Amino acid sequence: MNILTVEKLHKSFGNKILFDEITFGINEGDKIGIIGVNGTGKSTLLKIIAGVEKGDSGQVVTMNGLKIAYLPQTPTFYHKGTVLQQVFESNDKKMNLVRDYETALANNITNPSDVYWQRQIAILTEQMDKENAWTLESEAKTILTKLGITQFQQETSQLSGGQRKRVALARALISPVDLLILDEPTNHIDNDTVEWLEKHLSHYTKALIMVTHDRYFLDRVANRTIELEKGKLYPYEGNYSKYLELKAQREELLQAGERKRQNFLRTELEWVRRGAQARSTKQKARLQRFEEVSSQKAPEQRGNIEINATSSRLGKKTIIVEHISKSYQNITYINDFSYILLRHDRIGIVGKNGCGKSTLVKMMTGVLQPDSGTIEIGETVNIGVFSQENEDMEQSQRVIDYIRDIAEYITTTDGKITASQMLENFLFPLDMQRSPISTLSGGEKRRLYLLKILMEAPNILFLDEPTNDLDIQTLTILENYLDTFSGAIITVSHDRYFLDKVVNRIFSFEKDGFIKQYEGGYSDYKQQQEQEEITITTNSVAASKKQVIPAKTQRVKKMTYMEQREYETIADTVNDLEQELKNLQKQQEAVASDYVKLQEIVAQKENLEIELENAMQRWVYLNELAEEIEKSKEEHNKWKI
């Protein structure tokens, strides 16, 4: 069933047309990925669908009572409050009830002797029971924990930009809506969290429309793809891989049609040049057909981003890291790390948010000093750093002048190229080059900043979250550029596709600041990590069995005194453990609103389940032993007879 339709939507900024009367619909169960070059209006389209902005003309028609949750690129919290208060900020009755409950809890923590808040908690607790809202609160805490937010009563004003984005994402995911709108949901979250979100949304039953440049994410979540290109909208049925296939077919058809048109024009032009006169109706119609076909526009060729700058010479000595460590506030982020960077290294750095990835990059580039250890940088090293945040750009400066500050000309394998030509190759046409930087979109500024870094011809390139806010087309060409880059590359990224395509070695941040190396790309790293976990689990189980279950080769014909006593009581032990598990299950349901207590009970259950499994294994062994002894007695009696 159709839940929303965009009809003949037109939107422009100045002379730039974003949408030229585009039309499409969203149905129940649709999971739509929107792609396109930065600046084509992807985020603007989401804002219009969400009702945050309006088009110049056209309309958005929704079904009656349609509920929408919208996650913008940069979320704004309009009211002060804790993490949980912000998560439950909604028009939904049940979510508002939970928000009021969390507000009472927060005030009671601040004013523990205030009787009013204690009374409010009692009243709201009763209402929460009546509305069965505890499950909603528990689900929100689970999602926040998965997103790396565990301080539920922390004021959101104290959070970083990335943490605020994750709180807003949790609010969108928990909202009971018909349509979920997400703008760059994978930005500012680590690889493991991206994988969790991917699985969560793949099982999401409501309609979803999103902008993301994570190609694995699009492949595994989306079932429809919409491409925005030069004011037009092109819909495709399927995920990102299917989109690539269908787009290639569409472009081939367009080119085939253009070849056919050109052949027709050549034939007709020869006829016209032979002096054909429009003396008959047939000849007039033929001339009219020629004029119509000749006036048709040829399909526009896609602009290509071509970066062909050469890097500067790199000597034998690059960057030598010896036994470096770094701590903040008694937390060790990097612990005794050593590495000699090779000239053609392709290294990806992965780990949870806040583990120290960017800190390592800053130390290797000389921005930060280690607490201990040394870092030596070779004399011929020319470092280029594409940081997580754009440098401060003078907003009134023209785009062309921003690049000319680096160089008027750069040398490529094809000779010299001007700054203006380089900008054109990087999808900044002449009219945009003369515009101030303030007129660019966030993604276009990111692309401009990247171009500046690459034009400096570095021979060691550090990329800190390079895929944030870069469109897929830019990423593809950047990957191709890095494939031919002659120097070393070190990148911090949560984009698994990018890591698989660019790197051949992974630095993984483990516990206590230790960094472990894995050979291969991201998928290779995950496979090796999973294999290590299986090996550890297998060894642990084997060791446990050795302790609990005697080897079958040890055929005991008679139970020891302790085994006999255990045999007599093992069935009762199993029954008692099973009853304890049932009691814990009831407790878990009763304290669903108390996240801390809930975690304690879950941990107790896990330990109890292990204990029960061992008891069951012991029960099986003792029963087999008893049967064996009985058979032994029977054989012995037969022998006596």
Side-chain angles (χ1 to χ4, degrees):
M1 186 181 78
N2 179 270
I3 62 172
L4 183 146
T5 301
V6 175
E7 294 182 349
K8 295 185 177 180
L9 181 65
H10 184 93
K11 181 75 173 179
S12 60
F13 286 107
N15 296 324
K16 185 175 182 178
I17 297 176
L18 290 183
F19 316 129
D20 188 9
E21 295 194 345
I22 64 173
T23 297
F24 71 98
I26 301 175
N27 300 319
E28 286 182 335
D30 277 348
K31 294 176 182 176
I32 302 172
I34 303 178
I35 62 177
V37 175
N38 287 333
T40 54
K42 301 186 295 295
S43 293
T44 301
L45 179 58
L46 292 188
K47 290 176 183 176
I48 292 173
I49 294 172
V52 177
E53 287 189 12
K54 291 185 177 180
D56 299 332
S57 61
Q59 60 181 341
V60 177
V61 182
T62 64
M63 73 173 190
N64 290 334
L66 181 72
K67 294 180 180 179
I68 294 176
Y70 168 54
L71 173 74
Q73 275 195 41
T74 307
T76 302
F77 299 130
Y78 297 103
H79 306 287
K80 291 182 179 180
T82 64
V83 166
L84 279 176
Q85 285 175 270
Q86 297 294 356
V87 167
F88 291 107
E89 185 69 36
S90 170
N91 294 324
D92 181 75
K93 178 183 176 182
K94 188 181 287 188
M95 288 187 69
N96 281 339
L97 172 60
V98 182
R99 182 201 60 204
D100 293 342
Y101 175 76
E102 294 300 334
T103 301
L105 280 182
N107 281 292
N108 187 54
I109 291 170
T110 307
N111 307 288
S113 59
D114 194 328
V115 178
Y116 171 78
W117 291 114
Q118 294 174 11
R119 191 162 53 247
Q120 284 296 106
I121 290 173
I123 294 170
L124 290 166
T125 298
E126 185 177 341
Q127 292 178 9
M128 291 273 284
D129 289 336
K130 185 178 179 181
E131 295 290 334
N132 193 24
W134 298 112
T135 304
L136 185 63
E137 187 200 38
S138 178
E139 184 182 352
K141 289 176 178 178
T142 300
I143 289 176
L144 283 167
T145 302
K146 291 290 186 181
L147 293 174
I149 305 294
T150 56
Q151 301 298 320
F152 306 135
Q153 298 300 331
Q154 186 177 6
E155 290 287 331
T156 49
S157 58
Q158 300 171 2
L159 301 179
S160 66
Q163 289 172 321
R164 290 164 69 88
K165 178 74 177 271
R166 280 175 269 153
V167 171
L169 176 57
R171 177 170 61 191
L173 293 175
I174 202 71
S175 298
V177 296
D178 306 297
L179 175 61
L180 181 61
I181 303 174
L182 304 177
D183 196 352
E184 294 292 1
T186 62
N187 278 3
H188 306 294
I189 57 179
D190 57 51
N191 304 78
D192 290 340
T193 309
V194 170
E195 289 178 11
W196 170 82
L197 181 61
E198 188 178 272
K199 291 175 184 176
H200 183 83
L201 291 178
S202 65
H203 295 98
Y204 191 71
T205 57
K206 302 298 183 180
L208 164 68
I209 184 167
M210 60 183 173
V211 171
T212 179
H213 303 138
D214 189 317
R215 287 153 287 184
Y216 280 158
F217 196 86
L218 282 170
D219 235 14
R220 294 162 185 170
V221 175
N223 56 26
R224 286 181 61 194
T225 304
I226 288 176
E227 181 179 26
L228 293 174
E229 187 174 14
K230 297 180 179 178
K232 302 296 183 183
L233 181 144
Y234 302 95
Y236 300 89
E237 292 297 322
N239 60 7
Y240 179 71
S241 295
K242 191 65 177 177
Y243 148 76
L244 291 176
E245 179 186 335
L246 295 174
K247 182 177 174 67
Q249 291 176 10
R250 180 176 71 84
E251 291 183 340
E252 178 58 34
L253 286 173
L254 287 173
Q255 294 305 320
E258 175 59 16
R259 288 192 294 270
K260 187 176 179 180
R261 188 178 79 94
Q262 292 296 336
N263 289 335
F264 170 81
L265 289 175
R266 276 193 295 270
T267 302
E268 295 302 288
L269 187 59
E270 289 176 8
W271 175 76
V272 171
R273 285 174 175 170
R274 284 200 299 267
Q277 302 297 318
R279 295 173 182 171
S280 67
T281 302
K282 185 176 181 180
Q283 288 173 324
K284 286 181 180 179
R286 188 170 178 178
L287 282 171
Q288 185 177 357
R289 171 66 176 155
F290 170 76
E291 290 170 359
E292 288 175 355
V293 174
S294 63
S295 65
Q296 292 175 3
K297 288 185 178 181
E300 293 187 29
Q301 297 292 326
R302 278 191 302 161
N304 289 321
I305 303 174
E306 297 178 0
I307 314 170
N308 211 19
T310 56
S311 61
S312 53
R313 187 186 72 84
L314 180 61
K316 289 184 178 180
K317 185 177 180 180
T318 56
I319 299 177
I320 301 172
V321 179
E322 292 187 336
H323 302 291
I324 63 169
S325 295
K326 191 70 177 179
S327 301
Y328 292 107
Q329 298 179 346
N330 297 322
I331 299 175
T332 301
Y333 290 92
I334 297 168
N335 194 342
D336 193 24
F337 175 66
S338 297
Y339 189 76
I340 298 175
L341 189 69
L342 304 178
R343 284 192 287 181
H344 302 294
D345 264 342
R346 300 286 189 271
I347 297 169
I349 304 175
V350 300
K352 294 187 179 298
N353 285 332
C355 68
K357 302 186 296 293
S358 295
T359 300
L360 178 60
V361 168
K362 288 176 181 178
M363 286 197 293
M364 291 183 73
T365 55
V367 176
L368 282 178
Q369 293 300 314
D371 296 338
S372 60
T374 60
I375 298 176
E376 294 182 45
I377 299 176
E379 293 181 0
T380 60
V381 169
N382 179 20
I383 293 175
V385 181
F386 185 50
S387 62
Q388 198 168 147
E389 302 295 335
N390 290 352
E391 67 177 6
D392 290 333
M393 296 178 172
E394 178 53 57
Q395 297 300 304
S396 60
Q397 187 179 28
R398 296 190 307 168
V399 171
I400 182 66
D401 294 330
Y402 178 77
I403 295 300
R404 279 176 176 163
D405 284 348
I406 304 304
E408 181 65 43
Y409 300 90
I410 63 167
T411 302
T412 73
T413 54
D414 300 321
K416 286 189 175 181
I417 186 171
T418 66
S420 178
Q421 289 170 323
M422 197 66 180
L423 280 164
E424 281 194 83
N425 289 340
F426 212 53
L427 295 188
F428 290 102
L430 289 174
D431 58 338
M432 191 180 289
Q433 293 178 26
R434 302 188 195 97
S435 302
I437 291 174
S438 61
T439 62
L440 302 182
S441 70
E444 287 169 333
K445 289 177 183 177
R446 188 83 173 145
R447 193 196 315 156
L448 182 65
Y449 173 47
L450 173 62
L451 177 58
K452 176 191 173 184
I453 300 300
L454 298 178
M455 283 189 65
E456 291 172 343
N459 49 34
I460 295 182
L461 192 56
F462 286 85
L463 306 171
D464 193 357
E465 295 293 1
T467 62
N468 281 358
D469 301 319
L470 285 184
D471 58 76
I472 291 175
Q473 189 177 349
T474 306
L475 285 175
T476 301
I477 303 302
L478 172 61
E479 288 159 359
N480 293 337
Y481 166 81
L482 295 177
D483 190 46
T484 60
F485 183 70
S486 59
I489 300 167
I490 302 94
T491 179
V492 175
S493 180
H494 65 261
D495 190 319
R496 299 155 294 170
Y497 188 102
F498 180 81
L499 289 171
D500 273 343
K501 195 158 185 187
V502 171
V503 310
N504 54 28
R505 181 170 296 144
I506 294 288
F507 286 172
S508 173
F509 274 71
E510 310 287 325
K511 291 182 179 179
D512 302 321
F514 289 105
I515 299 173
K516 189 172 182 179
Q517 296 180 36
Y518 294 84
E519 295 303 310
Y522 182 80
S523 295
D524 299 316
Y525 148 72
K526 289 297 288 185
Q527 188 175 359
Q528 292 175 62
Q529 203 177 48
E530 287 168 7
Q531 188 58 49
E532 287 176 0
E533 290 174 0
I534 291 170
T535 302
I536 291 170
T537 303
T538 303
N539 292 340
S540 176
V541 170
S544 175
K545 285 182 178 179
K546 283 180 181 178
Q547 292 174 0
V548 176
I549 306 175
K552 288 187 177 180
T553 55
Q554 297 175 354
R555 299 293 183 183
V556 181
K557 301 305 179 184
K558 185 178 179 181
M559 286 187 183
T560 66
Y561 173 75
M562 292 302 295
E563 283 175 333
Q564 184 63 40
R565 289 196 60 180
E566 188 180 2
Y567 176 64
E568 292 168 357
T569 60
I570 191 68
D572 292 335
T573 301
V574 170
N575 289 333
D576 291 344
L577 289 170
E578 288 176 339
Q579 187 58 46
E580 282 186 58
L581 271 176
K582 289 179 182 178
N583 293 338
L584 280 176
Q585 181 62 38
K586 291 179 181 178
Q587 291 179 40
Q588 184 177 344
E589 294 170 359
V591 299
S593 61
D594 188 338
Y595 183 75
V596 175
K597 188 66 177 175
L598 188 64
Q599 292 294 92
E600 290 176 0
I601 292 174
V602 169
Q604 289 176 31
K605 276 184 65 181
E606 290 175 354
N607 292 331
L608 200 59
E609 284 166 354
I610 294 171
E611 191 177 344
L612 177 59
E613 184 181 353
N614 288 336
M616 288 294 292
Q617 289 175 349
R618 189 65 177 167
W619 179 79
V620 169
Y621 165 71
L622 290 171
N623 274 278
E624 287 178 351
L625 181 58
E627 290 176 5
E628 204 172 300
I629 292 171
E630 191 61 34
K631 286 180 182 178
S632 178
K633 287 180 180 178
E634 290 175 3
E635 289 294 327
H636 182 69
N637 290 334
K638 284 180 183 179
W639 179 81
K640 285 176 70 176
I641 293 170

